[in-house]
Amino acid sequence: MASAVEQFFTVKARIAAAEREAGRQAGAVTLVAVSKTFSADDIRPVIDAGQRVFGENRVQEAQAKWQALKQAFPDIELHLIGPLQSNKAKEAVALFDVIETVDREKIAAELAKEIARQGRSPKLYVQVNTGSEPQKAGIEPREAVPFVTRCREVHGLAIEGLMCIPPADENPGPHFALLEKLGTEAGVEALSMGMSGDYETAIAFGATSVRVGSAIFGSR
C-alpha cells in the first residue's frame, strides 16, 4: 500500500494536471490535507514532505494535535472544516487560521466578539448547503449572499470565501457551479470545494482550495 507521502505527491500531481486541463494558472488551487482522526505521527511525514495547509473537523481534536505541531512549524495554515459550535468560538479563533464553516447569525456574532477580544483574525468562509440537505450544516443557497452581506455590515467580519459539501449521491458539478455563481454575487475570492472523490471536477469549476483526506492518509 502506498504511504501517505506517496499519495500526497500523487494528489499534488493530479491537482496540477487538473489546473492545466481547466486552463488555470499553475498553483491556483491550494491543497487542504484533511488530517481529522489521524495522529501527529501520521501527519508529520506529510509535513516533512512539504505540505503546510491542513484541515480538521473538530476544535478539541485539533487542539490536542496541532498546538505542538504549529510551534514546530510556524508556517502551517490550519483550516476548520467541520461545524463550529458557538461555545467553541474562542478556541477556534485562537487556533485556526481559516474557519470555513460560518453558517448562522449566532456563530457570526460569537466570532466577531472573539476576533475583537483576541486581536486575531482568521480568514472566514461561509458554508453553503448547496443540496438543501436537512442533516447537513450550511446556509441555504438563496440566503447565502444576504448572509455574507450581514456578516460584513452587521458583524464587521471580512468574509473571504464560500465552502460547500455536495450531496454524496449526486453529480457534484451543478453544486460547484452554484457555489461559483454565489461567490461571484457575494464578491468573494475563495471557493473551498472538492474532496477526495471529486476535487478534479471542483478545479474545473473554479475551486481555489480542495479538501483531500482519504486520498492522502487512507480510509479512517
Side-chain angles (χ1 to χ4, degrees):
M1 196 180 117
S3 71
V5 169
E6 289 169 312
Q7 295 189 139
F8 160 65
F9 284 119
T10 299
V11 169
K12 291 283 281 183
R14 286 177 63 178
I15 288 172
E19 287 172 337
R20 284 194 299 275
E21 179 111 346
R24 299 182 61 189
Q25 229 178 332
V29 180
T30 298
L31 168 61
V32 181
V34 179
S35 49
K36 64 178 185 183
T37 76
F38 287 97
S39 70
D41 289 343
D42 294 323
I43 298 163
R44 186 73 185 248
V46 179
I47 297 175
D48 291 337
Q51 176 64 7
R52 287 296 180 272
V53 186
F54 290 85
E56 288 282 341
N57 260 39
R58 293 193 171 89
V59 175
Q60 269 169 305
E61 184 195 335
Q63 281 177 311
K65 290 191 291 207
W66 283 102
Q67 278 167 335
L69 284 171
K70 285 186 88 179
Q71 282 180 326
F73 300 93
D75 57 341
I76 275 175
E77 181 177 279
L78 194 58
H79 290 229
L80 179 63
I81 59 171
L84 177 59
Q85 296 162 316
S86 52
N87 64 352
K88 292 277 186 288
K90 178 182 174 182
E91 291 91 339
V93 169
L95 180 64
F96 289 94
D97 304 293
V98 182
I99 296 171
E100 298 198 10
T101 49
V102 182
D103 67 351
R104 56 199 188 281
E105 213 74 45
K106 189 176 181 185
I107 288 293
E110 285 297 322
L111 287 171
K113 193 168 79 179
E114 284 303 326
I115 286 166
R117 204 176 64 81
Q118 296 184 35
R120 193 171 188 274
S121 298
K123 294 175 182 170
L124 302 175
Y125 296 7
V126 165
Q127 181 174 352
V128 182
N129 186 351
T130 55
S132 298
E133 296 174 276
Q135 78 283 12
K136 200 172 271 179
I139 196 145
E140 285 288 318
R142 67 179 179 278
E143 294 167 20
V145 176
F147 179 65
V148 169
T149 302
R150 285 200 307 280
C151 284
R152 289 170 172 158
E153 293 178 359
V154 178
H155 302 290
L157 296 174
I159 301 294
E160 300 191 21
L162 301 180
M163 179 266 235
C164 74
I165 306 169
D169 55 353
E170 289 185 23
N171 172 5
H175 295 273
F176 297 151
L178 173 59
L179 199 74
E180 198 272 335
K181 176 176 169 285
L182 292 171
T184 301
E185 289 173 14
V188 301
E189 297 289 317
L191 296 173
S192 171
M193 56 191 196
M195 301 190 290
S196 287
D198 57 19
Y199 63 89
E200 287 147 309
T201 305
I203 290 168
F205 280 97
T208 58
S209 63
V210 293
R211 309 179 304 276
V212 180
S214 56
I216 296 171
F217 293 104
S219 53
R220 293 171 172 78

